[in-house]
Amino acid sequence: MLYTPAPLHIPDGFLSILVSVVCWAITIIVIGFAISKTNKALGEKQIPLMGVMAAFIFAAQMINFPVAGGTSGHLLGGALAAIVLGPWAGMLVMTAVIAVQALLFQDGGLLVMGANILNMGLVTAAIGYGLYRSVAGQSKTVKLTVVGIAAWLSVMAGALLTSLQLWLSGTSQLEIVIPAMLGVHALIGLGEALITVFALAFIIQTRPDLIGEGSESAKASRNWVFAGGIVSLLVVLLSPLASADPDGLERVAKDLGFLSVGQDAPYQVIPDYTVPFLGETALSTILAGVVGILVVGVIIVLIARGMKAKS
Amino acid sequence: MPVTHLKNTFVMPECDGDILYVNELHFAYPDGHAALNGVSLKLCEGDKVALVGPNGAGKSTLMLHLNGILRGRGDVEIAGMRLTRDNLPVVRSMVGLVFQSPDDQLFSPTVFEDVAFGPLHMGLPEDEVRARVDAALEAVRMSGYRDRLSHHLSVGEKKRIAIATVLSMQPSLLVLDEPSAGLDPRARRTLINLLRELPITMLVSTHDMAMVKELFPRTVVMDEGRVVADGLTYEILEDESLLTAHGLEKP
Amino acid sequence: MHFDAFDRYHEKESFLHRLDPRVKVLVTVIFIVSNALLPDGAWIAFLFAWLFVLAANLFSQLGIGYSLKRSIIALPFALIAITVLFSMPGKPLSTFHFLMWNLTITDAGLLRFVSILIRAWLSVQMAILLVAVTRFPDLIHALEHLRVPAILTTIIAFLYRYLFVLTDEVFRLLRARESRSAAVPGSRSGGGVLWRAKVAGNMAGQLFLRSYERSDRIYNAMIARGYAGHLYTLNPHEMKSGDYFTTAFAVAVIFILQILGRL
């Protein structure tokens, strides 16, 4: 198979109009910032550079390595793009990649593209660059370790956001979608982390001049470290919280107007829907999620095999 | 192989460099590598000159100086105009530089957009741009390819479109870097015929000595950042010690 | 690699092919928004929306089942919605035992699940048709006209142009890796996962450097032709009366769909 769709690309139909529009609004604001920043900061040389780098990310997503049992590790590239190009340019490059994947390959929808860009292009770049900048001036080992963690977290953040959007749209049940998405992406993130680290190590070794400390000023850089740190912290805190206390999140969502009053208890857990001997505890939900991941994983592998056999 | 210029029928014309005048050009890359060590060269209206020499001789570096992409120490004059920061746009429209890899030269999605790029950035009006695109494609015999996508073209077609992308700027001097590299025999033949027919002054860097013999009355040999020979092609091709000394072969 | 694998455009002389790309983009987006706005279980409206898709297929001369055949790509994602089957409160339809759970499908859950799938399936078909009848460069022009910032459309244009060149490079790299992944009989080829990841990472790094150097050469080719920081484009599209009429007609049909969905 030549083009493998990535699991984070949400197709049209799965997000409600309200969630889609809110995500578009956030995305447009951030991209607007990115455009004004790149227009100001970058020379004329950056236009072809960003264009070719977008093609690079697209092509690099096809590089895979076999992990085990027919699965393989891939690159999504949000963190890598932000580290080598700077955060704003990295975001624009990822936006172009996601747009072309949606327009040309229908990998990801059009109305939900705002959400896809937010999940895979903007948040990943913020985490990747923010954490990378937090260890500026440290040794290469420290940098690469942090880059690995950042790459992994960036994928987890994308998965978490995707889950939340699906839940807010009434498409998935929070208790299932979060553990399932995070579980699958904990593995995908590992592939992302490994390729990002080894790619960056290769670049630092052969062309250290290309990976400077970035053109950002000290203040801007502090802001990025702050932003990246906050988003990372949110991911680390919110993931277990969301699986353990979905009711709390639901209250917040209702207060914000996402879940309508008519859907009073849209996702009430059916009593049977837990692991019997553990009762209705967080542990039981997580266990259920793990089983869910396994089932989903097996089905995805079977589908992928089937499609491969056909083409 | 047809012999296009017999011994003693062609005499080097007197030339004071009315199209291109390069004098004592020196250039070193930021890493300290000296690529040009005093290059001098003159080209006149109608000249078709081959630029040969081993890899690393400085041919490509010299070409990048001809429209000011690189700026070295020494003089570069195009049609009597000394190259300065202010006249760069004018000079760039007068010197049509075609790079070796057509995939780098053709950077737009469609053939039309690529051939129109030069004229558009010269600030020409829309009708003029369209007329020039059509004329340039006609000149390289690719009129039917106007709306094609660049990535659908064969290497030979890409090379010809690449030449059209600078012909549309109606340059006074065409500078080509390895135009016949990577072409199969048929595409190479088409390209050679095209270069022979184009009524324009040209400086062509190449390793294709058979093409040099067939197409260019005059040859400039470069090595280690200098011009080591400049004269009639048949004389240079007869000088076996010169050829061996600079890693060239008689075709 | 053959470019056909990436080109979704099909050369035909049809009504939809000739339509202004802006119209096609707009109608596609409006159609997808309309699908998202249709309430769950609006079966009549869904049916007419599907007829709209079929009509578009017909007008594209690609065959009435063209988009249907390619629409399965959104299917794997349906798994993510499967939990609504069991979680919506409603009349239980059927209960079955799965591993350690008793799962009860409710009528409300089924209604929602099917509605989500239909919305996704209709929307993806329209998007498939859009690229099948519009050349990608024209799509980029349409985006320019629809006020997408120039810097983004430029990056997208470069991405489209070099997508083919760079994926070719990736396939060469992958082939080189494969041809060297030999194994002595009796022993496993290659090292552990880490080693394999390192090979893949080095390939990505290699590709990055080549791309970086390529962008340098492209920049030179651009300034050699007069680029000085601002990109100019010629836009060959002009809205004709037929384009306006088609837009109005399509929007009216979609509006009627919305009314049908709310009756």
Side-chain angles (χ1 to χ4, degrees):
Chain A
M1 209 152 72
L2 282 170
Y3 181 78
T4 339
L8 278 180
H9 294 63
I10 308 171
D12 276 318
F14 287 85
L15 292 189
S16 72
I17 196 111
L18 178 63
V19 173
S20 306
V21 168
V22 168
C23 288
W24 260 122
I26 299 171
T27 298
I28 288 172
I29 291 169
V30 177
I31 290 177
F33 257 114
I35 289 174
S36 77
K37 291 282 180 186
T38 35
N39 279 346
K40 244 182 269 168
L42 305 173
E44 55 194 50
K45 210 173 173 170
Q46 293 287 331
I47 294 284
L49 178 64
M50 287 197 282
V52 178
M53 281 303 139
F56 157 72
I57 294 289
F58 187 99
Q61 290 185 348
M62 292 182 178
I63 297 174
N64 57 1
F65 66 97
V67 179
T71 58
S72 53
H74 281 276
L75 183 75
L76 290 170
L80 183 64
I83 292 168
V84 295
L85 292 171
W88 297 119
M91 284 178 179
L92 293 183
V93 160
M94 290 308 290
T95 301
V97 171
I98 293 158
V100 167
Q101 283 169 340
L103 285 169
L104 197 54
F105 300 97
Q106 288 83 49
D107 190 12
L110 302 182
L111 175 60
V112 299
M113 200 198 287
N116 282 330
I117 293 173
L118 178 66
N119 303 346
M120 289 181 290
L122 307 186
V123 174
T124 50
I127 292 185
Y129 189 76
L131 295 192
Y132 174 69
R133 283 308 306 244
S134 72
V135 287
Q138 305 275 340
S139 76
K140 192 178 147 188
T141 321
V142 173
K143 269 189 192 168
L144 288 178
T145 311
V146 169
V147 164
I149 294 169
W152 185 81
L153 265 181
S154 75
V155 172
M156 294 302 273
L160 180 64
L161 271 178
T162 307
S163 314
L164 292 177
Q165 289 154 0
L166 287 166
W167 163 63
L168 288 173
S169 302
T171 303
S172 305
Q173 202 178 359
L174 190 65
E175 299 83 323
I176 297 303
V177 75
I178 290 220
M181 287 289 275
L182 291 187
V184 170
H185 286 86
L187 284 177
I188 291 177
L190 228 47
E192 172 88 0
L194 287 173
I195 298 189
T196 305
V197 166
F198 284 123
L200 204 65
F202 182 89
I203 298 165
I204 291 175
Q205 201 177 355
T206 31
R207 287 288 302 272
D209 54 308
L210 295 186
I211 313 288
E213 293 291 301
S215 55
E216 303 282 317
S217 68
K219 181 167 166 262
S221 139
R222 262 201 311 280
N223 289 345
W224 276 110
V225 173
F226 184 70
I230 290 285
V231 180
S232 311
L233 205 66
L234 273 178
V235 175
V236 172
L237 292 181
L238 203 58
S239 311
L241 192 82
S243 357
D245 182 22
D247 295 342
L249 267 184
E250 226 149 74
R251 269 196 305 280
V252 175
K254 227 178 276 173
D255 290 346
L256 289 175
F258 276 100
L259 294 180
S260 62
V261 194
Q263 293 171 281
D264 208 12
Y267 301 114
Q268 118 198 5
V269 185
I270 289 162
D272 288 345
Y273 191 63
T274 44
V275 186
F277 53 90
L278 285 173
E280 211 172 323
T281 62
L283 182 65
S284 138
T285 325
I286 289 169
L287 251 175
V290 170
V291 176
I293 295 160
L294 289 177
V295 173
V296 169
V298 167
I299 296 173
I300 286 175
V301 168
L302 287 180
I303 289 173
R305 287 252 172 99
M307 286 171 100
K308 206 185 279 178
K310 241 189 271 170
S311 60
Chain B
M1 184 67 61
V3 178
T4 51
H5 42 89
L6 295 166
K7 270 188 186 183
N8 302 329
T9 56
F10 180 86
V11 187
M12 278 268 281
E14 278 302 306
C15 172
D16 55 0
D18 59 359
I19 292 284
L20 173 69
Y21 173 82
V22 179
N23 191 35
E24 280 297 307
L25 190 61
H26 292 261
F27 179 76
Y29 279 100
D31 63 3
H33 167 68
L36 299 179
N37 300 306
V39 171
S40 298
L41 183 66
K42 292 173 185 174
L43 251 72
C44 287
E45 180 85 51
D47 270 352
K48 291 196 176 183
V49 179
L51 183 60
V52 299
N55 286 338
K59 302 190 297 286
S60 299
T61 310
L62 173 63
M63 291 181 152
L64 289 173
H65 277 80
L66 300 186
N67 64 7
I69 291 176
L70 294 179
R71 308 285 293 276
R73 193 157 48 79
D75 284 340
V76 177
E77 284 179 22
I78 307 293
M81 253 194 312
R82 190 149 187 277
L83 216 157
T84 63
R85 188 169 287 278
D86 295 331
N87 61 21
L88 263 186
V90 185
V91 166
R92 282 179 180 160
S93 69
M94 294 172 71
V95 180
L97 183 51
V98 181
F99 292 88
Q100 182 180 347
S101 159
D103 275 328
D104 300 340
Q105 182 79 24
L106 304 179
F107 45 73
S108 311
T110 67
V111 167
F112 174 83
E113 285 170 286
D114 241 317
V115 182
F117 188 93
L120 264 178
H121 286 77
M122 289 162 69
L124 296 173
E126 236 182 272
D127 291 342
E128 173 74 11
V129 172
R130 288 179 203 284
R132 284 193 176 202
V133 171
D134 290 338
L137 287 176
E138 177 63 42
V140 297
R141 306 271 179 273
M142 300 288 280
S143 291
Y145 284 67
R146 196 173 173 279
D147 295 317
R148 292 287 195 94
L149 302 175
S150 300
H151 60 268
H152 283 192
L153 306 173
S154 72
V155 185
E157 290 165 345
K158 279 182 189 165
K159 290 258 183 179
R160 281 188 278 158
I161 299 290
I163 293 174
T165 62
V166 300
L167 287 182
S168 61
M169 297 160 70
Q170 301 186 345
S172 325
L173 171 65
L174 192 59
V175 179
L176 308 179
D177 198 354
E178 307 246 11
S180 64
L183 294 184
D184 67 14
R186 189 185 299 158
R188 175 177 171 274
R189 178 52 44 203
T190 315
L191 183 95
I192 290 177
N193 291 340
L194 171 67
L195 293 184
R196 183 185 293 120
E197 287 164 20
L198 280 180
I200 183 170
T201 314
M202 59 177 80
L203 177 67
V204 177
S205 145
T206 185
H207 294 303
D208 184 348
M209 297 305 278
M211 178 176 78
V212 171
K213 182 178 172 185
E214 185 184 338
L215 206 54
F216 301 100
R218 180 179 156 200
T219 297
V220 173
V221 184
M222 274 186 79
D223 201 359
E224 293 176 348
R226 285 186 187 82
V227 172
V228 292
D230 182 354
L232 296 174
T233 298
Y234 72 86
E235 283 177 4
I236 285 177
L237 291 183
E238 288 304 313
D239 191 343
E240 297 219 9
S241 61
L242 174 83
L243 293 179
T244 338
H246 302 290
L248 299 169
E249 273 180 17
K250 197 179 163 183
Chain C
M1 192 230 18
H2 216 272
F3 51 75
D4 284 350
F6 286 104
D7 261 333
R8 305 291 159 117
Y9 176 70
H10 287 256
E11 202 82 50
K12 278 260 162 60
E13 267 297 313
S14 82
F15 171 73
L16 284 192
H17 283 75
R18 283 190 299 271
L19 216 51
D20 189 284
R22 272 166 286 181
V23 174
K24 292 186 262 189
V25 171
L26 270 181
V27 171
T28 305
V29 170
I30 293 173
F31 181 73
I32 291 173
V33 171
S34 151
N35 289 337
L37 283 173
L38 284 177
D40 287 352
W43 308 122
I44 309 263
F46 285 146
L47 178 70
F48 278 92
W50 184 49
L51 291 179
F52 188 78
V53 172
L54 285 183
N57 269 294
L58 217 54
F59 278 117
S60 71
Q61 291 190 3
L62 295 169
I64 195 152
Y66 177 84
S67 62
L68 182 71
K69 270 182 273 171
R70 285 153 189 80
S71 60
I72 43 160
I73 51 166
L75 220 96
F77 209 87
L79 285 170
I80 217 91
I82 220 153
T83 51
V84 297
L85 274 179
F86 319 112
S87 56
M88 298 276 289
K91 206 175 81 199
L93 293 180
S94 133
T95 306
F96 60 95
H97 197 73
F98 179 70
L99 297 178
M100 41 190 152
W101 300 290
N102 287 317
L103 301 176
T104 306
I105 298 180
T106 61
D107 57 347
L110 188 64
L111 182 88
R112 176 134 187 83
F113 181 69
V114 174
S115 301
I116 288 173
L117 287 201
I118 288 178
R119 279 193 203 101
W121 179 72
L122 290 172
S123 301
V124 79
Q125 288 200 56
M126 212 52 165
I128 288 168
L129 263 186
L130 171 67
V131 282
V133 299
T134 318
R135 294 190 336 150
F136 203 74
D138 294 334
L139 212 56
I140 299 173
H141 291 150
L143 296 181
E144 272 166 23
H145 278 298
L146 296 170
R147 307 293 158 98
V148 174
I151 190 167
L152 275 179
T153 55
T154 308
I155 297 176
I156 290 174
F158 273 110
L159 166 54
Y160 177 71
R161 172 67 183 90
Y162 287 100
L163 169 81
F164 304 93
V165 179
L166 295 195
T167 44
D168 252 357
E169 271 182 43
V170 166
F171 286 117
R172 280 199 296 273
L173 284 170
L174 290 176
R175 207 173 301 140
R177 177 179 72 177
E178 235 164 78
S179 72
R180 275 178 294 172
S181 306
V184 187
S187 79
R188 226 162 57 87
S189 132
V193 172
L194 262 190
W195 182 81
R196 291 196 291 259
K198 185 172 179 181
V199 173
N202 285 350
M203 278 163 64
Q206 181 85 264
L207 187 70
F208 169 80
L209 292 183
R210 287 189 198 176
S211 310
Y212 193 93
E213 282 157 12
R214 184 184 292 280
S215 82
D216 253 357
R217 297 196 299 270
I218 294 167
Y219 174 65
N220 280 343
M222 288 170 76
I223 53 174
R225 286 194 265 153
Y227 170 71
H230 192 277
L231 273 176
Y232 302 90
T233 48
L234 260 192
N235 242 311
H237 302 288
E238 221 179 303
M239 293 279 281
K240 298 188 195 69
S241 56
D243 294 316
Y244 286 111
F245 179 77
T246 311
T247 315
F249 182 74
V251 170
V253 170
I254 293 170
F255 187 72
I256 293 170
L257 283 182
Q258 285 297 321
I259 295 176
L260 278 177
R262 278 147 218 283
L263 282 180

